[in-house]
Amino acid sequence: MLNAAFEGLSLIFTWSTFIYLLLGTLLGHVFGVLPGLTGSVAMALLIPITYALDPIQGIVLLSSAMGAVTFGGSITAILFNTPGTPNNAATCFDGYPLSRQGKAGMAIGASATASALGAIFGLMVTVALIPFMRTVVLAFAPPEYFLVAILGLTVISAVSGSSFIGGLIAGFLGLFLSTVGLHPIAIDKRFVFDTIYLWDGISLVPALIGIFAIAEMINLLVNVKTISSEGTIVKGGIWLGVKSVFENFWLFIRCSVIGVLIGAIPGIGGNVSNFVAYGHAVQTSKNGKFGDGDIRGVIASESANDSKDGGALMPTLALGIPGSPSTAVLISGLMIHGINPGKELFTEGLHIVFVIIGTLVVANLLTSCLGAILGSQLQKVTTMPTTLIAPIILLLTLIGSFSVRSNFGDVIIAFVFGLLGYMMLKYDVSRVPLIIGLVLGKLAEQNYHTSLQMSGGSFSIFFSRPISIVFICLILIFVISPFIKRNKKVPSSQ
Amino acid sequence: MCERKYFNWPGRDQLGEFAFYLFLFAGSIYCIVEASGYTPQGRLIPLIVLVGLAVLVALKIVGILVPSIGARIDVKGDLLAQPDIDISEGLAADDKPGKAADKQDLRGLKRELVVIGWFLLSLVLIRLFGFVFAVPLFLFVFFLIYARFGLFRSLIYTAGFYVFFYFVFIYILHTRFPVGLIF
């Protein structure tokens, strides 16, 4: 294995290959920053270019773009409340309030550090688990998927903001919206109102763009002159952000573990890991102002977000089952070059596994360094007049919404969700639970029905599997811990 | 001290919020009726969710109409007890834009409608002229009329963004933007 690692790494660090690593990293970074354009889009666009390349160069180009996208998406999440990719949604919750306080640099510094270290952590775990990958991945089935979704939904109560009922309303609304479209198992076309567009359900990217970005742009133009409330920025923020990750290192480790575990479950991936990690940070913190600009919110979301790439590689490379849309494109890229995931890859082509892992590590380090270096300049955007920023972001979000599927319906969805998001913002209803409900609702419903089909209608399937029992325990801990914490606080405050 | 009333018909500052929840309530009831026609598997989750949603929204409406109950059932139930926010402080003071916007006079409401109108205009222009023409047109008109940047600055900003838009989305990504209804 050491020989393969050495061979893989030496292949990356040749000039002819390293240049593609730089190119992929830069493109991934740009795609991450642009709202709506996700890692899978960037990689899909790069695939035709890889035809003409040597297999190793092609793999390096694709892997570097995949590694760079995730952090790039956090920059717009922090600066404009506009997640560059859906995986960065939870970064908005505290990243943007920090920008409003003139601490965008601190948030970018924390995001860059948590992203780079999170990715390295995730990939190290992947390397350590190479011998056991098959067993780990095959241990998950629909009952576990269902319970992971429920675990994510328990976060709703923790992120409800100042109005508990308002938060629950948003969560239920999100869950309801996730049921729009064709039922995953039955034949019903639900709440489509004779619109073919809605058969596929509500697309996540335009909904996310609308609820955060467009709503925020309306709000900025109506109420604010600059994003940074004071019109000033805190100096030296980048290093404060970097330091904050080490000050909260235990939280970083826990959230990275969450990222790896959820990333390893095929079909769930980054959309879920950042919410679960964020919820974990909220529920386990003794104090703090989550949602109002707590740096731990950024650390939790970004560490899980990047470590999940390592986790997602496990099913991708070991079984050929993509753990996320990006890894699905990666598999296509590998197969185009005659490399098939599975047992053969881990015996004869182990050095290729290390090429991918090494590229992801270097790409993450490079993109985070780039973000940290540019962060002090990027944060100046928050002091620009909103009359300049808002229309540009609005157009970028509308173009981004369209570009994902080349469907004008997505533009309308983004706009409608923008209005809904503004209403929620105006009437103090947290928007976070709505997105959590929307992301996890479909996953929960589909796997609930599939599990019951597997068991012939018996609910015992959720309680009889070892991993399910672990998840049930986690759910109970997540639900009960806030009450225990509250009861502890009451006597001390008295 | 403000005198508390048992029943509180929403005033101008709460009318928008009241209408928002009323709309949600009516929508959820409509969808419950719609869902009842689906197959048992298809309606199970939507019905559970929608009934929960309707109950929660009803509680919120009751909280607005009867502030004493609202204070008991929600953290932020008693809206009468909320301190007034001076509109001149804007969001900078509180970071809760809705409250500031809600308390402001008709001028604030007008500004809100104007901004939403501009956003709607962008959508209409895209539909009529397609992205390629609507993007610079909207941006230029917005900078010139709403932002009042002046002709030269508006042109420069528009041209700068258009070059970026063209380079990234058309030249590199080859995005096939649809033509508008007019051209």
Side-chain angles (χ1 to χ4, degrees):
Chain A
M1 194 163 132
L2 272 175
N3 283 344
F6 183 76
E7 190 186 347
L9 293 177
S10 61
L11 282 170
I12 298 170
F13 292 105
T14 55
W15 272 114
S16 56
T17 309
F18 197 73
I19 212 93
Y20 289 103
L21 194 152
L22 290 177
L23 184 70
T25 305
L26 201 65
L27 279 173
H29 195 84
V30 172
F31 270 76
V33 169
L34 292 173
L37 298 181
T38 55
S40 49
V41 176
M43 292 166 74
L45 285 162
L46 288 175
I47 277 192
I49 300 171
T50 67
Y51 285 139
L53 300 178
D54 167 59
I56 295 295
Q57 290 170 344
I59 291 165
V60 164
L61 185 67
L62 289 174
S63 309
S64 54
M66 181 178 146
V69 160
T70 327
F71 168 67
S74 74
I75 292 177
T76 41
I78 290 165
L79 294 177
F80 309 118
N81 207 19
T82 307
T85 69
N87 304 349
N88 303 105
T91 309
C92 295
F93 308 160
D94 281 291
Y96 183 68
L98 282 166
S99 288
R100 299 287 318 277
Q101 295 160 21
K103 296 175 184 169
M106 185 184 181
I108 291 174
S111 166
T113 314
S115 292
L117 295 181
I120 293 169
F121 180 90
L123 293 165
M124 275 167 57
V125 173
T126 307
V127 172
L129 288 180
I130 281 176
F132 318 103
M133 271 186 190
R134 195 171 283 264
T135 322
V136 171
V137 171
L138 290 179
F140 283 85
E144 284 78 25
Y145 290 179
F146 170 72
L147 290 166
V148 168
I150 298 298
L151 183 68
L153 288 170
T154 58
V155 173
I156 286 178
S157 65
V159 291
S160 290
S162 59
S163 169
F164 182 64
I165 289 189
L168 288 182
I169 288 173
F172 273 83
L173 190 60
L175 283 172
F176 160 65
L177 291 170
S178 75
T179 65
V180 172
L182 287 171
H183 185 269
I185 289 163
I187 48 160
D188 297 294
K189 294 189 281 285
R190 299 179 300 182
F191 313 110
V192 295
F193 307 107
D194 297 328
T195 311
I196 293 173
Y197 170 82
L198 290 175
W199 282 27
D200 285 341
I202 290 171
S203 180
L204 181 63
V205 173
L208 204 60
I209 282 175
I211 208 103
F212 286 113
I214 296 181
E216 204 56 51
M217 293 310 118
I218 297 175
N219 173 40
L220 285 179
L221 280 175
V222 170
N223 294 297
V224 196
K225 288 199 167 93
T226 56
I227 292 173
S228 170
S229 306
E230 305 294 325
T232 55
I233 45 179
V234 175
K235 286 188 179 165
I238 298 283
W239 292 112
L240 287 175
V242 173
K243 251 171 64 181
S244 70
V245 177
F246 294 99
E247 284 165 2
N248 296 286
F249 203 70
W250 181 227
L251 173 74
F252 159 78
I253 295 285
R254 292 195 317 262
C255 293
S256 297
V257 170
I258 289 172
V260 176
L261 288 177
I262 294 179
I265 307 170
I268 295 187
N271 286 0
V272 180
S273 68
N274 61 353
F275 289 124
V276 175
Y278 183 82
H280 168 74
V282 175
Q283 285 172 327
T284 54
S285 74
K286 289 184 183 125
N287 50 42
K289 287 188 168 181
F290 284 93
D292 287 330
D294 194 312
I295 197 68
R296 289 173 296 179
V298 177
I299 295 168
S301 164
E302 282 304 310
S303 51
N305 199 10
D306 278 68
S307 65
K308 69 106 184 35
D309 283 342
L313 277 185
M314 295 186 203
T316 308
L317 300 180
L319 303 172
I321 304 168
S324 65
S326 298
T327 47
V329 185
L330 182 69
I331 286 183
S332 320
L334 290 173
M335 290 171 95
I336 283 168
H337 291 283
I339 300 158
N340 293 314
K343 197 178 172 185
E344 204 177 305
L345 184 63
F346 281 87
T347 49
E348 289 164 28
L350 194 57
H351 67 286
I352 293 172
V353 175
F354 282 100
V355 166
I356 296 169
I357 288 173
T359 305
L360 283 169
V361 169
V362 178
N364 269 289
L365 285 174
L366 282 176
T367 193
S368 293
C369 288
L370 188 70
I373 291 164
L374 295 178
S376 54
Q377 300 303 315
L378 286 172
Q379 65 178 333
K380 287 179 185 165
V381 175
T382 59
T383 60
M384 286 181 176
T386 52
T387 45
L388 176 64
I389 300 288
I392 289 175
I393 299 291
L394 169 75
L395 288 175
L396 273 178
T397 54
L398 294 182
I399 295 164
S401 302
F402 176 81
S403 303
V404 178
R405 302 192 302 177
S406 294
N407 191 330
F408 194 76
D410 286 345
V411 180
I412 294 171
I413 285 287
F415 192 81
V416 170
F417 270 78
L419 290 182
L420 176 68
Y422 180 67
M423 293 289 176
M424 294 172 79
L425 196 64
K426 185 172 168 173
Y427 302 126
D428 209 10
V429 179
S430 173
R431 292 165 292 173
V432 181
L434 187 142
I435 290 301
I436 295 176
L438 187 60
V439 170
L440 299 177
K442 197 165 271 180
L443 187 75
E445 186 182 16
Q446 186 166 354
N447 287 294
Y448 169 79
H449 287 301
T450 315
S451 303
L452 288 184
Q453 275 188 338
M454 280 168 63
S455 66
S458 167
F459 288 96
S460 64
I461 193 165
F462 297 114
F463 309 101
S464 56
R465 299 161 63 92
I467 299 181
S468 298
I469 293 168
V470 172
F471 278 119
I472 288 170
C473 292
L474 285 173
I475 291 166
L476 288 175
I477 291 168
F478 268 46
V479 170
I480 295 167
S481 63
F483 294 102
I484 296 172
K485 241 180 354 183
R486 199 175 298 166
N487 284 341
K488 272 186 186 171
K489 270 182 194 170
V490 171
S492 62
S493 63
Q494 283 170 350
Chain B
M1 286 212 4
C2 78
E3 194 185 323
R4 296 222 176 178
K5 291 182 287 183
Y6 183 73
F7 184 81
N8 166 52
W9 183 250
R12 201 167 64 189
D13 59 337
Q14 275 184 292
L15 209 55
E17 186 175 14
F18 184 69
F20 174 66
Y21 285 117
L22 217 52
F23 175 76
L24 273 184
F25 186 73
S28 45
I29 296 297
Y30 176 82
C31 289
I32 287 172
V33 175
E34 168 92 10
S36 56
Y38 301 150
T39 60
Q41 257 191 340
R43 70 178 172 225
L44 176 70
I45 303 289
L47 275 182
I48 293 171
V49 170
L50 283 165
V51 169
L53 180 63
V55 169
L56 287 165
V57 174
L59 280 174
K60 198 78 188 176
I61 292 170
V62 170
I64 293 172
L65 291 174
V66 188
S68 57
I69 294 177
R72 277 186 211 163
I73 58 176
D74 200 1
V75 179
K76 195 212 110 193
D78 192 350
L79 291 164
L80 286 177
Q82 295 288 326
D84 281 340
I85 297 163
D86 186 355
I87 184 60
S88 60
E89 291 175 11
L91 285 183
D94 190 296
D95 201 24
K96 281 183 180 144
K99 277 191 247 163
D102 228 359
K103 306 260 177 185
Q104 65 187 290
D105 54 11
L106 281 173
R107 208 179 60 184
L109 183 67
K110 194 178 147 195
R111 196 163 61 182
E112 226 169 36
L113 290 174
V114 166
V115 170
I116 292 171
W118 273 99
F119 278 43
L120 196 62
L121 177 73
S122 69
L123 201 66
V124 172
L125 285 177
I126 289 168
R127 196 68 186 136
L128 289 179
F129 301 109
F131 278 95
V132 178
F133 293 104
V135 164
L137 182 65
F138 171 76
L139 215 52
F140 178 71
V141 174
F142 185 91
F143 285 148
L144 194 68
I145 298 172
Y146 185 89
R148 294 181 189 170
F149 283 156
L151 189 66
F152 184 68
R153 269 179 78 189
S154 302
L155 267 174
I156 293 288
Y157 289 149
T158 306
F161 180 76
Y162 194 70
V163 167
F164 169 79
F165 163 72
Y166 194 88
F167 182 72
V168 174
F169 289 96
I170 297 175
Y171 186 73
I172 294 182
L173 298 178
H174 298 290
T175 310
R176 295 173 71 90
F177 289 111
V179 290
L181 294 175
I182 294 179
F183 62 86

